[in-house]
Amino acid sequence: MSIIFNEKESLFSLYTRNSLYQMKADNYGVLLHTYYGKKTEHMDYSYLLCEREHSFAGSPYEAGNERWYSLETLPQEYPSYGAGDFRRSALQICRANGASALELRFAGYEIKEGKYNIPGLPAVYAEEGNQADTLIVTLKDTASDLYVHLYYGVLEDLDVITRAVRVENRSGEEIYLERVMSTCLDFMYGAYDLVTFYGRHEMERLFSRTAVHHGVQSVGSTRGASSHHYNPFVILAEQGAGEKSGECYGISFLYSGDFLAEADHDQVKQTRLVMGIHPDNFHYLLKPGEEFWSPEAAMVYSSQGFEEMTHAYHKAVRNNICRGKFKNARRPVLLNNWEGTYFTFTGEKLLQMASEAADMGVELFVLDDGWFGKRDDDCSGLGDWYVNEKKLGCTLGELSEKINGMGLKFGLWFEPECISEDSDLYKEHPDWAFQVPGKSPMRGRYQLVLDFSREEVRNYIYDQMCKVLDSAHIEYLKWDFNRSICDVYSASLPAARQGEVLHRYVLGLYDILERLNQRYPDMLIEGCSGGGGRFDAGMLYYTPQIWCSDDTDAIERLKIQYGTSFCYPVSTMGAHVSACPNHQTGRITPIGTRATVAMSGTFGYELDPAKISQEEKEEIRGQIENFKKYYELIQHGDYYRLTSPFDNSCYHAWESAATDGSEALVSVVANHTYPNMAQETIKLRGLTPEAYYEMNGKSYLGAALMYAGFPMPKPTVEYESFQFHFVKR
Ligand code: GLA
């Protein structure tokens, strides 16, 4: 059992392979967070608590004359608002009488074998063979019958601890939830950096690292989706921690809507990190007898830098968050027509593209936007999910049959959550789109958002999708979402419940995705939101891969995929080779480099084969063979960031090493060349130090490659890439 309750000390200790997480219900029933860090033998870490009195730090009534005892300075496991802890809180409510002070006290616990689930929400699950246990600690408000159940999933061998919260209203009054964070970590000592991943459309998940300073630092989204702008994954890192050393704590939030992560550095140099649903526009009514589940946060502690943390996340995301037939299967090499044709295509053109794709060794042809309703640009048609047979010149069934006949699978794009005003659906049901009565709606890419909090809306869209999916042999679906949400107002909910709409929307999204997964278990679903605008662990529970970015430029992708790699494995990152000059940047890169970069993702193409040369076609054939050859190693090996694309180095390198050290593939892109270039070496990782490795007929000692490095070749063309395959002798 990975969870131990020591009754005498009232101490909960949660053990994973490398970490220990500890909390204690003290004499007043306050649940104190005493430790999260490197695994040790049993120890009551409350010896670290400081019995020092601080002015203006009040004490709970029960503490009597113990003025040092203050919730403001003691580390809290789940701090509540309004009762003496002035740092950022985890829970804030408003009672029927308007009071918000909430005082939570220990009221019991339960330890169960296996990992808990959350109804309607994604959650890390234990696979057969995983050791997993659940702890539920119950807290109760001193003034009302509001119960807060803290859930902990301890996945020992995965080194992951999950947290979620169930708030239960057993009182006779209506209570509003104003803020329900999924996790809170209090650190009594230490100097930390906050690592976050920021960006924008076509430039997502850029690495940012700043010192945690006095005050509150935060990232989050209020766009209705996790967003391009900040990712719901953050790291709190000991200052000085790097890839290979130093302590760090990752928190991945399994949620695809509004989120907030806050780091609060207080008057006595303590640091608190909270993460959960963004409280802006969250106002959730709990009637007597009702309960609310927060989404889940998955935490990983590493005492050996980012690399160890990343490896734990990669395994957990791949095996314990992604689900279904494809989670560990090689995904078909695809060709998507989007950048090849945009909206301008005919059935004949598609068939010609597919035929050339098949000839190059592509395995799946994906028909992107523009095949349905009236949709020759992005101004119309969304919501009308019926096939434009005039444009295709045939039925979808016939098109897919012909494509299948070429030996290719067939896939299709949808944007189920959105609606164009110029559509039949909008004419019929204008109230199905989010809009505030009396106000003109905000448009995003000319479109509005359907109210997925409403079951009838979801059912309609689901039925329309199923009709299309059943009309042809469709083995892949791209689920897109191309705007941010505002004008949040549901025509079906009373005023008192409008603050629930955004969360109900996300639950609605998950509901329809779950239904599709159940009904089409053999269909691969790729998530997308204008590229990587909803690249989060919540979506990955339903879609095992997500289109990483609408920026397909190989050089820009280095930064995007680097940032993405901190939490998410290559099997989740949609990456394609596109045409040059690149459509987003105008940059020209060798096609080999584009393939090297896309290979560290799900791998595919997004171009018009008619517009490339015979030599390039030949090269593509070789690339696909190469990808298949290295697939196992790339997808299932350990991923190492050997350099950062933000460094001054002229090369950016990363590596996939077999977990047993038997082989490694090092990919390098020369992203900056200059005359008379200096020699650079790159140090490898994950090899067996005493073993010898062969590469291009030469032999190298593992230790030498790791500790002295491997010299980089001189590039002969701009942005040249190299792949070095080292095999143990
Ligand atoms: C988004 C996606 C693209 C493409 C277009 C189609 O931008 O990210 O890949 O599907 O929509 O409109």
Side-chain angles (χ1 to χ4, degrees):
M1 183 56 79
S2 55
I3 301 171
I4 292 172
F5 179 59
N6 183 314
E7 198 133 10
K8 218 170 98 221
E9 295 163 326
S10 236
L11 197 68
F12 295 96
S13 298
L14 283 47
Y15 292 95
T16 70
R17 200 156 41 88
N18 290 309
S19 69
L20 165 60
Y21 186 104
Q22 197 180 77
M23 67 197 105
K24 182 183 180 92
D26 72 8
N27 296 341
Y28 306 117
V30 172
L31 193 62
L32 298 176
H33 176 79
T34 47
Y35 181 74
Y36 186 24
K38 201 170 167 62
K39 185 176 184 173
T40 66
E41 294 299 314
H42 174 75
M43 177 72 207
D44 178 351
Y45 280 95
S46 63
Y47 79 89
L48 291 168
L49 301 180
C50 178
E51 293 193 6
R52 192 169 300 165
E53 188 182 323
H54 295 282
S55 314
F56 280 83
S59 313
Y61 205 78
E62 312 94 284
N65 292 333
E66 279 188 297
R67 275 189 46 176
W68 68 267
Y69 186 91
S70 174
L71 302 186
E72 185 175 347
T73 48
L74 288 167
Q76 306 290 314
E77 185 60 25
Y78 200 66
S80 56
Y81 180 83
D85 183 344
F86 298 95
R87 294 167 285 181
R88 305 306 291 151
S89 68
L91 185 64
Q92 183 175 352
I93 62 160
C94 183
R95 292 183 52 198
N97 62 7
S100 56
L102 176 63
E103 207 169 46
L104 296 175
R105 296 291 182 266
F106 181 66
Y109 75 96
E110 201 182 335
I111 296 173
K112 291 182 179 176
E113 256 180 48
K115 165 73 178 48
Y116 65 87
N117 287 319
I118 308 181
L121 280 165
V124 176
Y125 62 90
E127 277 206 305
E128 228 183 278
N130 288 148
Q131 168 70 40
D133 300 297
T134 294
L135 167 68
I136 308 162
V137 180
T138 298
L139 308 174
K140 183 193 167 300
D141 180 22
T142 52
S144 74
D145 276 338
L146 185 80
Y147 284 78
V148 179
H149 308 279
L150 307 180
Y151 282 71
Y152 299 83
V154 185
L155 294 114
E156 190 175 354
D157 44 336
L158 297 177
D159 243 343
V160 171
I161 294 179
T162 66
R163 286 186 66 172
V165 179
R166 180 165 63 91
V167 185
E168 193 192 357
N169 184 1
R170 287 195 211 158
S171 77
E173 58 175 300
E174 292 190 344
I175 292 174
Y176 278 100
L177 303 176
E178 309 289 359
R179 177 181 168 99
V180 185
M181 291 289 130
S182 296
T183 189
C184 170
L185 292 176
D186 265 1
F187 298 90
M188 291 179 254
Y189 311 98
Y192 294 97
D193 289 334
L194 184 65
V195 176
T196 58
F197 301 89
Y198 72 100
R200 56 186 184 274
H201 177 230
E202 296 181 337
M203 206 55 197
E204 300 88 339
R205 291 173 298 286
L206 300 177
F207 181 89
S208 156
R209 180 175 187 159
T210 47
V212 173
H213 49 72
H214 285 285
V216 179
Q217 275 159 271
S218 73
V219 292
S221 164
T222 54
R223 294 170 176 269
S226 49
S227 87
H228 302 86
H229 306 78
Y230 297 102
N231 194 258
F233 172 67
V234 298
I235 306 167
L236 194 72
E238 184 184 36
Q239 282 182 1
E243 284 291 342
K244 294 179 281 187
S245 66
E247 292 196 299
C248 58
Y249 301 82
I251 304 182
S252 173
F253 190 40
L254 281 76
Y255 192 61
S256 310
D258 287 4
F259 77 95
L260 178 66
E262 292 181 305
D264 184 344
H265 194 55
D266 74 2
Q267 54 172 342
V268 288
K269 299 184 186 168
Q270 303 192 93
T271 301
R272 168 171 293 174
L273 187 64
V274 289
M275 194 161 185
I277 292 182
H278 203 301
D280 282 10
N281 211 355
F282 175 81
H283 181 66
Y284 203 100
L285 173 61
L286 267 197
K287 289 198 166 157
E290 287 185 345
E291 62 176 28
F292 173 84
W293 270 97
S294 83
E296 182 169 278
M299 310 184 298
V300 170
Y301 161 80
S302 158
S303 61
Q304 289 172 50
F306 300 134
E307 194 174 277
E308 185 183 84
M309 178 207 67
T310 285
H311 291 170
Y313 274 117
H314 282 191
K315 286 196 189 90
V317 171
R318 204 162 49 208
N319 300 316
N320 304 79
I321 291 181
C322 292
R323 295 178 299 164
K325 167 172 164 178
F326 290 97
K327 72 174 194 178
N328 271 315
R330 183 171 75 71
R331 318 286 161 72
V333 176
L334 66 78
L335 183 129
N336 177 308
N337 74 311
W338 179 242
E339 286 200 13
T341 64
Y342 295 103
F343 290 105
T344 315
F345 56 82
T346 58
E348 205 180 313
K349 174 69 191 169
L350 298 174
L351 290 173
Q352 179 216 338
M353 288 173 91
S355 150
E356 296 208 51
D359 189 46
M360 294 187 294
V362 167
E363 297 161 318
L364 160 71
F365 180 80
V366 177
L367 172 51
D368 210 278
D369 199 352
W371 56 266
F372 53 91
K374 185 180 110 193
R375 183 80 172 166
D376 288 324
D377 54 33
D378 48 11
C379 299
S380 62
L382 291 175
D384 294 342
W385 299 111
Y386 35 81
V387 181
N388 185 343
E389 292 179 1
K390 204 162 146 233
K391 185 167 180 178
L392 295 186
C394 61
T395 65
L396 198 65
E398 284 160 352
L399 184 75
S400 69
E401 213 176 295
K402 286 186 192 146
I403 289 174
N404 289 163
M406 297 169 187
L408 291 173
K409 295 176 194 300
F410 178 63
L412 202 58
W413 180 96
F414 282 90
E415 189 174 353
E417 296 155 82
C418 285
I419 180 165
S420 308
E421 284 159 275
D422 187 359
S423 69
D424 294 345
L425 185 63
Y426 189 76
K427 278 181 207 110
E428 224 173 295
H429 295 290
D431 67 310
W432 281 11
F434 280 138
Q435 32 193 330
V436 177
K439 174 190 175 300
S440 308
M442 290 284 301
R443 293 190 181 124
R445 205 193 187 195
Y446 313 107
Q447 62 207 46
L448 306 182
V449 181
L450 281 169
D451 180 357
F452 263 33
S453 73
R454 289 170 71 169
E455 202 180 352
E456 58 188 320
V457 177
R458 295 199 303 273
N459 285 348
Y460 174 83
I461 294 294
Y462 177 74
D463 289 346
Q464 293 301 107
M465 290 180 77
C466 290
K467 268 188 212 148
V468 175
L469 294 171
D470 293 343
S471 75
H473 189 213
I474 297 173
E475 297 180 79
Y476 162 105
L477 184 158
K478 179 171 167 190
W479 179 298
D480 207 344
F481 179 49
N482 281 311
R483 59 159 291 176
S484 304
I485 305 181
C486 45
D487 295 310
V488 178
Y489 177 84
S490 178
S492 70
L493 286 174
R497 289 205 177 266
Q498 291 299 329
E500 300 171 22
V501 174
L502 277 176
H503 180 59
R504 289 182 182 275
Y505 177 92
V506 179
L507 293 178
L509 166 69
Y510 290 156
D511 164 60
I512 190 165
L513 280 167
E514 182 63 31
R515 285 198 261 164
L516 284 173
N517 269 288
Q518 298 298 333
R519 181 166 168 150
Y520 302 102
D522 294 332
M523 185 170 72
L524 169 63
I525 309 182
E526 174 157 358
C528 176
S529 173
R534 203 160 53 187
F535 202 117
D536 56 67
M539 277 309 278
L540 289 171
Y541 188 71
Y542 304 94
T543 69
Q545 65 187 57
I546 298 175
W547 180 226
C548 206
S549 177
D550 273 348
D551 185 352
T552 57
D553 178 290
I555 302 307
E556 299 302 307
R557 273 281 182 137
L558 294 176
K559 295 182 197 137
I560 297 170
Q561 294 180 193
Y562 169 82
T564 308
S565 79
F566 278 80
C567 178
Y568 310 101
V570 283
S571 63
T572 64
M573 287 190 221
H576 301 165
V577 172
S578 62
C580 268
N582 178 268
H583 292 194
Q584 292 79 44
T585 60
R587 186 183 268 128
I588 295 176
T589 51
I591 195 163
T593 299
R594 285 174 261 156
T596 300
V597 175
M599 241 181 239
S600 288
T602 55
F603 197 58
Y605 292 82
E606 183 153 342
L607 43 75
D608 181 356
K611 293 194 184 135
I612 58 174
S613 67
Q614 272 315 318
E615 294 75 58
E616 283 179 316
K617 281 184 194 157
E618 248 339 290
E619 215 172 320
I620 289 179
R621 265 181 218 113
Q623 291 172 353
I624 294 176
E625 283 315 307
N626 212 27
F627 169 68
K628 289 183 186 162
K629 183 169 116 198
Y630 292 132
Y631 166 77
E632 277 300 324
L633 180 56
I634 293 175
Q635 299 290 325
H636 299 122
D638 283 332
Y639 184 89
Y640 293 92
R641 292 171 291 268
L642 300 182
T643 67
S644 157
F646 299 97
D647 285 350
N648 279 333
S649 166
C650 295
Y651 299 88
H652 176 50
W654 63 100
E655 177 189 336
S656 304
T659 47
D660 63 359
S662 57
E663 54 173 332
L665 180 71
V666 177
S667 301
V668 181
V669 175
N671 47 9
H672 174 59
T673 45
Y674 58 92
N676 209 356
M677 264 177 99
Q679 177 67 62
E680 286 190 34
T681 63
I682 279 173
K683 292 176 179 168
L684 274 58
R685 304 280 300 145
L687 305 180
T688 310
E690 55 282 2
Y692 280 88
Y693 290 81
E694 300 277 342
M695 206 276 296
N696 282 349
K698 283 197 181 155
S699 181
Y700 304 86
L701 181 67
L705 291 171
M706 291 200 291
Y707 311 137
F710 181 72
M712 291 293 99
K714 186 169 176 282
T716 52
V717 292
E718 199 176 22
Y719 305 124
E720 190 167 358
S721 76
F722 308 91
Q723 285 186 317
F724 303 106
H725 186 209
F726 295 89
V727 181
K728 201 171 173 179
R729 260 213 319 240

